[in-house]
Amino acid sequence: MTGAESTAVLLLRVVLGVTVIVHGLNHWRGGGRIAGTARWFTGLGLRHGRLQAWLSVVTEVGAGALLVLGLLTPLAGAAVISVMLVAGLLAHRRNGFFVFKDGYEYVLVLAVACVALAMLGPGDVSLDAAAGISIDGWAGGGLAAGVGAAGTAGLLAAFWRPGAQLPEATAGEAPNGPRAETPHVTPAETPDTPPAKSPAANRVETPQESPDEGQQPS
């Protein structure tokens, strides 16, 4: 591997690793924190949402760190591929391709980049190279893609229950999705009520006599 090729692989590895690490930390510390991430997983139909949230944090931070270090690169890529497959299949596939419509564009790029990195190898500036670990080419790409797909299939078989009432939802952590709306009563459906009368309308008017009517006949 030439110096330019090794630098290119290092750049790809570090950017992928840091991106995945930040993504995992956001599941832990960002927004709704672990509780919010758990509700998101529950909303996808996965049982044990809190467990899924912690698994995603550990997997993404751990795999990202391995990618940055260049250690066990194909397996680190397989972990990222598995996470991206789960997100792509359950959360983004129905929204189409484009990321600005919450589609699978982003997760597809990360997953394919991990397969390509496993095929290229970690490069000379890596712990794999220092330790003499060399799994690249078709073997590296096949290992990353195969283990990633197998991990996804195993997780879905064990935890995915679409359409089921999940324990997290009944325990107060409702799944993401449209909230129940309060029925809106239109004016046509509102019972007719008489308009409120002003105080002046409630007064009893006393008949007034004209001056001619008040005079006694002479």
Side-chain angles (χ1 to χ4, degrees), residues 1-216:
M1 186 175 283
T2 66
E5 292 171 344
S6 183
T7 302
V9 169
L10 175 64
L11 181 63
L12 176 61
R13 213 182 65 225
V14 170
V15 170
L16 272 175
V18 171
T19 299
V20 175
I21 289 172
V22 173
H23 195 266
L25 291 176
N26 184 64
H27 281 177
W28 178 23
R29 305 295 296 176
R33 298 180 179 257
I34 284 294
T37 304
R39 288 192 295 270
W40 184 75
F41 277 110
T42 302
L44 298 180
L46 290 169
R47 300 169 59 233
H48 307 300
R50 185 170 288 272
L51 173 63
Q52 304 299 330
W54 279 116
L55 284 176
S56 72
V57 171
V58 172
T59 300
E60 292 177 16
V61 173
L66 290 176
L67 287 175
V68 171
L69 296 173
L71 179 62
L72 303 175
T73 305
L75 295 179
V80 176
I81 291 167
S82 181
V83 172
M84 296 303 120
L85 276 175
V86 171
L89 290 172
L90 301 188
H92 304 293
R93 179 174 55 89
R94 61 179 175 267
N95 299 322
F97 176 75
F98 296 108
V99 67
F100 59 84
K101 294 183 178 179
D102 202 25
Y104 57 84
E105 177 182 6
Y106 170 72
V107 296
L108 175 65
V109 169
L110 290 185
V112 173
C114 285
V115 175
L117 179 60
M119 296 179 72
L120 293 171
D124 297 331
V125 186
S126 64
L127 292 183
D128 279 345
I133 302 173
S134 179
I135 306 176
D136 53 16
W138 291 111
L143 180 63
V147 172
T152 300
L155 184 140
L156 295 181
F159 297 106
W160 189 40
R161 300 294 182 269
Q165 181 67 30
L166 301 179
E168 289 83 358
T170 59
E173 292 185 3
N176 291 340
R179 297 181 178 178
E181 298 182 356
T182 303
H184 177 68
V185 180
T186 62
E189 297 171 344
T190 306
D192 294 331
T193 55
K197 296 181 179 180
S198 63
N202 293 330
R203 294 176 184 174
V204 179
E205 297 183 358
T206 304
Q208 296 182 358
E209 297 179 350
S210 63
D212 294 336
E213 295 173 347
Q215 295 177 356
Q216 297 296 327

